[in-house]
């Protein structure tokens, strides 16, 4: 699902189409650096590939921020649903 979300964001914001394999490989690059603070590694890993696809640095930064906001909101929704179930159970 994350691969498709990333592909969609790139298409909508950057007008760049990437293959499912490219999207997945970018997510793998991001996962490799999950122990680095923040999303620095993800921006560097994806940024190099996205720069080759013609997206400028500002666009790469904005797309990365937008992805993080979507993930944050998705986490909030899932947490709210789980809390709702916990409150209803004894």
């Amino acid at each position: 699902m994350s691969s498709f979300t990333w592909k969609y964001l790139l298409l909508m914001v950057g007008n760049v189409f990437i293959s499912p394999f490219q999207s997945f490989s970018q997510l793998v690059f991001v996962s490799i650096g999950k122990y680095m603070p923040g999303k620095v590694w993800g921006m560097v890993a994806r940024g190099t590939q996205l720069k080759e696809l013609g997206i400028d640095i500002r666009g790469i930064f904005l797309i990365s921020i937008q992805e993080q906001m979507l993930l944050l909101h998705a986490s909030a929704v899932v947490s709210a649903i789980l809390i709702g179930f916990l409150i209803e159970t004894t």
Side-chain angles (χ1 to χ4, degrees), residues 4-46:
F4 292 111
T5 301
W6 183 243
K7 277 179 49 109
Y8 177 76
L9 282 173
L10 285 176
L11 188 59
M12 291 296 112
V13 177
N15 200 26
V16 173
F17 179 80
I18 62 173
S19 70
F21 179 77
Q22 286 174 309
S23 180
F24 179 73
S25 69
Q26 289 180 12
L27 288 174
V28 169
F29 278 131
V30 171
S31 296
I32 289 172
K34 70 181 179 181
Y35 297 108
M36 292 183 78
K39 289 292 185 176
V40 174
W41 173 252
M43 288 181 69
V44 170
R46 284 182 174 165

